[in-house]
Amino acid sequence: MDSQVLVALALSLVGGLSTSLGALFVILNQAPNLKMLGLLQGFAAGLMLSISFLDLAYNAMNSIGFLKGNLWFFSGVIFFAVVANFIPEPTLSHSSEVKGKKNKGDEGGKDMMKKHRRQVFFSGIITAIGISLHNFPEGMAVFLGSMKGLRVGLNLALAIALHNIPEGVAVALPVYFATQSKWQAFKLATLSGFAEPLGVVIVAYLFPSSLSPEILEGLLGSVGGVMAFLTLHEMLPLAFDYAGQKQAVKAVFFGMAFMSASLYFLELSLPKDMSL
């Protein structure tokens, strides 16, 4: 049993650390401009929405029923809607307002840029949390797959690694823009990937057989609700502000399509009696 856990941990690290590759892609290039930041925030929002609605909420409703799945999902929405009221955050300002501030003086422009950077950094933290929560059940899936055989676990880990690379980009980009620190961007993206081996440890040792599948699916449905609220409340306004509504919407649907395709190929690598 211990050797199987070690194998599962090693395979989950392959998938989890691929977020670092996405971070390297960001920090090895020049800092993006605001429009590029908005487009990639829209892309990240698409990833998050696809995970929320087409993965976590969908699986919850299929597993525990439409009514229970929705109740769990909206409990997550309500929970974080309440929490968000106590989170201090700067208000977004449109580009024209930023220009107006700059015309009044360099000090006003710098203050506005600080607010934008704080908002972008907050968005990066949100993305990191959401992706970490998404990577957690992936670690569970890698563990279960490796229990069926090394080939199954390896195929699953490689498939997860491929779709974790853009997740690393989604985390590192806003953090790098906000802090101008390559190390902070790389560190946060890498940490978000470590949720995957953490999932292996927890499913192997803390919940070997006693965790109710219904409770697990319900909790993951709530995670989907939290992620959906965070995306619509924080990430989309930022993408609209920096990239413009039309371009941001295109980026959102591109992100959704990319994640849906990634989840599809990931599902193909799973045994028929398993699903993410």
Side-chain angles (χ1 to χ4, degrees):
M1 179 65 178
D2 289 340
S3 63
Q4 288 179 320
V5 172
L6 290 176
V7 170
L9 274 173
L11 292 176
S12 66
L13 282 172
V14 172
L17 290 178
S18 62
T19 57
S20 301
L21 297 178
L24 287 175
F25 175 80
V26 171
I27 65 179
L28 293 179
N29 289 283
Q30 292 182 349
N33 57 32
L34 289 179
K35 184 175 181 180
M36 179 60 68
L37 177 67
L39 289 174
L40 288 176
Q41 282 292 287
F43 178 79
L47 296 179
M48 300 276 280
L49 289 175
S50 183
I51 293 169
S52 299
F53 291 111
L54 305 180
D55 184 14
L56 298 178
Y58 175 79
N59 287 338
M61 286 185 281
N62 277 347
S63 300
I64 61 179
F66 182 82
L67 178 60
K68 289 183 179 180
N70 271 279
L71 289 175
W72 277 101
F73 177 84
F74 284 104
S75 69
V77 172
I78 294 171
F79 167 76
F80 210 85
V82 173
V83 171
N85 289 328
F86 300 96
I87 299 176
E89 55 179 292
T91 57
L92 280 173
S93 297
H94 293 287
S95 306
S96 59
E97 294 175 336
V98 176
K99 291 179 180 177
K101 285 281 185 179
K102 288 184 177 179
N103 291 335
K104 292 180 180 178
D106 291 338
E107 186 176 349
K110 289 180 181 178
D111 289 342
M112 186 59 62
M113 183 55 68
K114 285 182 181 179
K115 288 185 177 181
H116 278 274
R117 290 189 186 279
R118 286 175 57 199
Q119 179 70 23
V120 172
F121 183 74
F122 186 64
S123 175
I125 296 296
I126 288 170
T127 306
I129 293 172
I131 287 175
S132 296
L133 292 172
H134 174 64
N135 285 342
F136 183 80
E138 287 179 354
M140 295 182 175
V142 169
F143 173 78
L144 296 174
S146 64
M147 294 300 102
K148 290 182 174 291
L150 179 61
R151 182 184 61 82
V152 175
L154 182 60
N155 288 341
L156 181 56
L158 291 176
I160 289 174
L162 288 176
H163 95 264
N164 277 359
I165 293 175
E167 294 179 352
V169 173
V171 174
L173 179 71
V175 175
Y176 183 36
F177 175 84
T179 65
Q180 297 297 301
S181 169
K182 295 182 178 181
W183 167 242
Q184 291 295 333
F186 181 81
K187 179 176 68 174
L188 197 58
T190 302
L191 287 176
S192 70
F194 274 111
E196 201 159 304
L198 180 62
V200 171
V201 172
I202 290 180
V203 77
Y205 289 107
L206 299 184
F207 305 115
S209 59
S210 59
L211 183 63
S212 167
E214 181 173 337
I215 292 178
L216 176 60
E217 289 294 343
L219 289 173
L220 293 177
S222 293
V223 168
V226 170
M227 291 172 61
F229 179 87
L230 291 174
T231 302
L232 296 174
H233 187 260
E234 298 294 338
M235 298 178 68
L236 274 185
L238 192 67
F240 287 169
D241 190 65
Y242 288 152
Q245 184 174 345
K246 290 183 179 180
Q247 295 300 319
V249 168
K250 292 177 183 177
V252 168
F253 280 107
F254 182 74
M256 292 184 71
F258 186 93
M259 181 54 69
S260 295
S262 177
L263 290 172
Y264 171 73
F265 288 112
L266 184 59
E267 190 74 20
L268 290 180
S269 68
L270 287 167
K272 291 183 178 181
D273 58 342
M274 284 179 60
S275 62
L276 281 179

